[in-house]
Amino acid sequence: MISAKLPRIFYGGDYNPEQWPREIWDEDIRMFKLAGINIATLNVFTWGLNQPDEESYDFEWLDEIIDKLYKNGIYVCLATGTANHPAWMAKRYPDVLSVDFAGRKRKFGFRHNSCPNSPTYQKYAKRLVRKLAERYGHHPALLIWHVNNEMGCQCYCDNCEKEFRLWLKKRYGSLEKLNEAWYTRFWGHTFYSWDEIVLPNLLSEHIDASNPDQTAFQGISLDYNRFNSDSVLARYMDEYDILKTITPTIPVTTNYHGHATYKPLDYFKWSKHVDIVAWDNYPSFDTPISTTAFRLDMMRGFKGGDPFMIMEQTPSQQNWQPYNSLKPPSVMALWSYQALARGADTVMFFQLRRSFGACEKYHGAVIEHAGHENTRVFREVAQLGTELEKLGNQLLDSRVETRAAILFDWENWWAVEYSSGPSDQLKYVEEVQKYYDAFYSQNIPVDIINTDADLSQYDLVIAPVLYMVKEGLAPRIEQFVESGGTFVTTFFSGIVNETDLVTLGGYPGELRKLLGIWVEEIDALFPDQTNSMVMKGSLKGFKEAYQCGILCDLLHSEGAEVIAEYGRDFYRGMPCLTRNPFGKGEAWYIATSPESDFLEQLVGYLSEANGIYPVMNTPSGVEATRRTKDGASFAFLLNHNEEEKTVHLGQGSFKDMISGERLEAEVTIPSKGVVIAVETMTELSNGGGVQGGSRSLAGNLSR
Ligand code: GLA
Ligand code: ZN
């Protein structure tokens, strides 16, 4: 549970009363209560307001609003406000200003642009955080700390350069090792002194402004990414340590960027340091539902399946997309339930009252410019508030259980896309999403895990494009397969080590023995070119052939069973899908990027072979997930279609937790509607509660 003070789904969001005269505050609180709001995030962008000069601080407005909210039963998620340095600081201490990828020093303006290695920034940020912790740490309204906001500045200033050299010294110990790791004999880049090393940007190793991934030295650029992610994390840790010292029992978090796959920060590494993962969920009008599902599952994966927070989402529309479509009626609630369905324990918005100036005035809010509660958006927010209140604490801490996982790794992502060749078309996240979609479309639950996860919790692990194999990973995968696991990997895997040096002796390097194959060449296809995978007939239920593209490995079996072969080109007849028995398990290799039909078929086949089943079979566009807790099982059914759909629940006696209605063997869900089905058998016998035996809903709904 995030906080025993409020054992409920947190419902509320960013509130910026400092943008409004005091008279409005009481009116806001009246409406928050009408909407069932129980938490407000305060103080996000207020440093310039709270600290008018080097020595003075003024928190009176904050004292007043925190007290007011608390008196009205609304708790506080308190931001530290360090996401934007004050103007006076930038003028007096230019080291807080960052330098961009093109080497240009920024002036004061915008936000999230303080250099993480600025001594001035660090000194004043820490001082501010200490003051806040001392002032509000023991206020009964305080539920959780919100460090900074969507952290992440990539800086190329002189301070960062100096820090980079120190970071490298620690990592490599000697220049000799560094020269080896970066392969600096290429193009005569050998370094003889640490201060010859410069940051990789448009002034050095990167030359194409339109393609920042293009670098001459992958090793240097990879290390910069690691260093930058660590630098920003160090600033988070500065705050975390102060908050934990002064208020050890208050949870601390920071909100992750809307693209859960936010490239600059290694969120798996970060998540070891947050008490609970918090995410800002901003799908655009054309984001596939399965992409949001993938991001939500990733949030759940960051801390090994623990529930997470939706810290922000818009109740209606954004302002920063090219086309800021409204969420049509019911969609805000549907997407909020989608987050709960995949492991969130909060539903929070940006923001509670819409700004009337600057760039976010056309961003949706719970209270719109009209200023009253008679709006569609407010009514929908209030309706959801009532429903969440009714759910109480029943879902809190429930978990999504599965024995299938997809491996995702930030450093691998950086490396795949820094690679010069074989194909610009290969995008790591897109490739992983294809595999995720194959699970999603069949309602088969899957975890997103990192390379250091304990694989023994799973029966099926898929690692798409595992290009970089970190030290110690290959033996761990071997052990997983040896003891009965099914492992699947793909083309462009097992190629390099952590500094992007190729593992010699034939691809896929360290994975070669496990997979029982070796790859001799890699062909890159043009976007409009395809090849085909001709199935040899050993797997039931598959079509005769499937399309494939992007890359095609030319490989030889060294003992693996060949399950499909290429249908075209000079390598027609060479294997493109193999299975290698290894110990008690098996390792599969997919040598190319197949069409979605194939992936769906394969994921279904391997899941079933491993006893991993869909939560439920539903009509297309009806998402089904399950969370479980203390033997109770909550099946979420989300109808994303424009029409109503009927779902067969199977035998048993169920209730919809949202409407409270009893459900028959089948339930018809309106367009954009949601049902949370829970078994009622035990409820009948004990006269209350939703505890069901684990044999109950799970059993009935799973096959
Ligand atoms: C981000 C920020 C918020 C706000 C929203 C608007 O997520 O964290 O401060 O700017 O975007 O969508
Ligand atoms: Zn810097």
Side-chain angles (χ1 to χ4, degrees):
M1 201 167 303
I2 309 173
S3 170
K5 284 185 194 168
L6 182 63
R8 284 279 180 281
I9 294 170
F10 291 1
Y11 191 51
D14 277 41
Y15 178 41
N16 297 302
E18 72 280 5
Q19 295 175 14
W20 296 89
R22 296 281 200 279
E23 306 83 81
I24 300 280
W25 295 6
D26 291 322
E27 183 58 2
D28 285 341
I29 289 173
R30 180 187 70 79
M31 283 190 268
F32 295 166
K33 285 159 80 176
L34 275 182
I37 282 169
N38 55 31
I39 185 167
T41 303
L42 296 173
N43 201 44
V44 183
F45 290 103
T46 50
W47 198 350
L49 180 73
N50 293 344
Q51 189 180 359
D53 58 49
E54 226 158 303
E55 292 311 323
S56 10
Y57 292 86
D58 178 6
F59 296 110
E60 262 171 46
W61 72 274
L62 196 53
D63 294 347
E64 200 180 322
I65 189 70
I66 292 180
D67 286 343
K68 221 183 235 303
L69 288 165
Y70 187 61
K71 275 189 203 122
N72 285 280
I74 297 165
Y75 288 87
V76 170
C77 166
L78 191 56
T80 55
T82 51
N84 193 23
H85 50 249
W88 61 259
M89 196 182 290
K91 181 180 157 206
R92 182 133 193 215
Y93 301 106
D95 66 288
V96 300
L97 296 166
S98 60
V99 168
D100 71 10
F101 185 62
R104 298 169 303 195
K105 179 128 181 116
R106 307 268 322 175
K107 293 191 172 188
F108 177 73
F110 221 75
R111 62 177 181 176
H112 300 148
N113 57 4
S114 316
C115 163
N117 289 303
S118 147
T120 307
Y121 176 81
Q122 292 173 29
K123 172 177 153 194
Y124 286 106
K126 286 195 244 179
R127 199 202 266 178
L128 177 66
V129 173
R130 186 163 295 114
K131 283 195 185 294
L132 287 166
E134 281 160 358
R135 195 174 186 102
Y136 302 110
H138 301 286
H139 197 293
L142 177 65
L143 284 188
I144 182 164
W145 290 110
H146 174 302
V147 169
N148 202 297
N149 187 74
E150 291 191 342
M151 297 183 80
C153 169
Q154 286 167 289
C155 182
Y156 297 87
C157 77
D158 292 347
N159 276 324
C160 285
E161 197 157 81
K162 282 186 208 135
E163 285 298 321
F164 184 48
R165 292 172 188 147
L166 294 176
W167 185 93
L168 292 169
K169 257 188 206 166
K170 226 164 133 191
R171 186 173 175 89
Y172 294 105
S174 72
L175 275 174
E176 202 187 340
K177 286 228 171 83
L178 173 137
N179 279 315
E180 256 171 49
W182 286 358
Y183 205 68
T184 55
R185 282 166 183 251
F186 180 71
W187 287 359
H189 270 46
T190 305
F191 296 108
Y192 296 96
S193 156
W194 293 97
D195 61 9
E196 288 163 7
I197 299 169
V198 297
L199 293 170
N201 69 354
L202 279 182
L203 303 177
S204 52
E205 300 298 358
H206 296 249
I207 44 162
D208 182 356
S210 67
N211 180 9
D213 278 341
Q214 196 176 88
T215 173
F217 277 83
Q218 285 74 19
I220 301 180
S221 298
L222 272 173
D223 273 337
Y224 171 75
N225 281 11
R226 294 183 177 113
F227 157 75
N228 181 254
S229 177
D230 284 358
S231 297
V232 183
L233 178 59
R235 298 299 69 81
Y236 166 84
M237 288 309 293
D238 286 348
E239 300 195 24
Y240 181 90
D241 290 341
I242 294 169
L243 297 170
K244 279 291 164 191
T245 309
I246 302 176
T247 61
T249 61
I250 304 288
V252 179
T253 190
T254 183
N255 51 338
Y256 292 168
H257 284 251
H259 288 260
T261 43
Y262 175 67
K263 203 172 177 185
L265 302 184
D266 180 349
Y267 279 155
F268 272 107
K269 188 169 185 187
W270 272 65
S271 298
K272 298 192 164 77
H273 306 282
V274 298
D275 293 334
I276 181 165
V277 166
W279 182 46
D280 299 345
N281 182 9
Y282 287 107
S284 63
F285 72 101
D286 55 354
T287 306
I289 303 288
S290 67
T291 300
T292 306
F294 171 54
R295 294 169 177 175
L296 289 163
D297 283 357
M298 185 170 276
M299 291 301 136
R300 190 182 72 242
F302 284 149
K303 279 187 93 66
D306 288 355
F308 55 92
M309 297 176 73
I310 292 297
M311 185 65 94
E312 295 180 20
Q313 61 169 346
T314 176
S316 55
Q317 69 194 140
Q318 282 111 245
N319 66 289
W320 43 265
Q321 316 239 12
Y323 316 104
N324 296 282
S325 335
L326 292 169
K327 289 181 179 170
S330 301
V331 169
M332 182 278 289
L334 174 67
W335 291 1
S336 302
Y337 281 116
Q338 186 192 25
L340 296 177
R342 296 192 172 273
D345 268 0
T346 75
V347 175
M348 294 164 69
F349 299 106
F350 181 90
Q351 59 178 328
L352 298 189
R353 185 185 269 271
R354 195 190 268 235
S355 304
F356 66 98
C359 64
E360 287 181 341
K361 60 182 170 302
Y362 299 120
H363 192 290
V366 173
I367 303 172
E368 299 278 24
H369 284 156
H372 54 66
E373 63 267 40
N374 301 316
T375 64
R376 174 184 76 94
V377 170
F378 189 90
R379 279 190 295 274
E380 291 193 28
V381 170
Q383 169 65 28
L384 180 59
T386 310
E387 292 171 10
L388 298 183
E389 184 57 40
K390 219 160 78 188
L391 292 177
N393 65 1
Q394 296 178 82
L395 288 174
L396 297 186
D397 294 331
S398 61
R399 302 178 77 86
V400 175
E401 316 263 354
T402 178
R403 295 193 56 86
I406 293 177
L407 206 134
F408 187 95
D409 186 73
W410 252 258
E411 298 186 30
N412 181 53
W413 179 11
W414 297 333
V416 167
E417 291 176 17
Y418 274 144
S419 173
S420 179
S423 170
D424 268 5
Q425 228 198 313
L426 175 59
K427 297 288 174 229
Y428 180 59
V429 180
E430 282 175 21
E431 217 48 42
V432 175
Q433 179 82 48
K434 289 180 190 168
Y435 284 81
Y436 179 84
D437 285 351
F439 284 94
Y440 176 86
S441 60
Q442 303 178 78
N443 297 324
I444 302 172
V446 63
D447 282 347
I448 311 296
I449 58 168
N450 196 213
T451 44
D452 61 4
D454 170 13
L455 301 180
S456 70
Q457 323 164 55
Y458 300 101
D459 294 317
L460 172 62
V461 173
I462 302 187
V465 196
L466 186 59
Y467 169 68
M468 174 192 286
V469 175
K470 292 179 178 171
E471 212 183 311
L473 179 60
R476 288 201 299 114
I477 298 175
E478 281 180 4
Q479 208 197 335
F480 162 74
V481 180
E482 220 154 42
S483 46
T486 300
F487 177 72
V488 181
T489 192
T490 72
F491 65 93
F492 216 44
S493 291
I495 312 265
V496 298
N497 72 0
E498 288 171 54
T499 63
D500 206 58
L501 296 179
V502 170
T503 305
L504 299 176
Y507 318 130
E510 288 190 73
L511 302 173
R512 186 170 157 183
K513 186 171 111 215
L514 169 69
L515 293 159
I517 54 154
W518 82 275
V519 174
E520 185 178 334
E521 294 185 85
I522 306 171
D523 193 17
L525 274 53
F526 277 74
D528 56 357
Q529 259 184 323
T530 55
N531 203 317
S532 66
M533 303 172 72
V534 181
M535 304 297 293
K536 296 186 71 179
S538 54
L539 302 186
K540 286 212 181 71
F542 284 67
K543 291 195 301 197
E544 273 173 27
Y546 297 89
Q547 290 218 327
C548 61
I550 305 184
L551 292 183
C552 293
D553 282 344
L554 278 54
L555 67 85
H556 310 276
S557 166
E558 294 177 311
E561 177 194 352
V562 177
I563 296 182
E565 297 170 345
Y566 289 112
R568 281 198 287 279
D569 219 318
F570 73 91
Y571 41 92
R572 176 176 169 189
M574 281 184 102
C576 59
L577 175 65
T578 59
R579 163 167 66 184
N580 194 42
F582 190 88
K584 291 189 202 144
E586 52 188 37
W588 292 66
Y589 191 76
I590 306 172
T592 175
S593 184
E595 62 172 299
S596 58
D597 268 10
F598 170 81
L599 291 178
E600 212 168 283
Q601 195 68 37
L602 186 75
V603 162
Y605 173 86
L606 293 176
S607 298
E608 196 176 330
N610 281 286
I612 301 162
Y613 296 98
V615 169
M616 214 181 297
N617 294 318
T618 55
S620 150
V622 178
E623 183 177 345
T625 73
R626 178 167 48 236
R627 289 181 71 170
T628 55
K629 170 175 154 183
D630 302 335
S633 170
F634 310 101
F636 286 74
L637 300 169
L638 309 144
N639 183 6
H640 296 285
N641 296 290
E642 297 300 330
E643 331 66 49
E644 64 174 35
K645 290 286 169 194
T646 298
V647 177
H648 303 276
L649 297 177
Q651 288 166 2
S653 158
F654 309 108
K655 189 177 87 172
D656 174 12
M657 289 172 79
I658 302 174
S659 66
E661 280 166 22
R662 302 225 159 260
L663 302 174
E664 303 303 326
E666 30 173 72
V667 54
T668 297
I669 310 171
S671 160
K672 312 297 175 192
V674 181
V675 160
I676 309 178
V678 62
E679 197 177 18
T680 54
M681 244 138 64
T682 333
E683 189 192 40
L684 291 176
S685 58
N686 70 12
V690 288
Q691 309 288 309
S694 52
R695 52 155 202 89
S696 57
L697 195 66
N700 284 334
L701 298 184
S702 63
R703 285 160 215 217

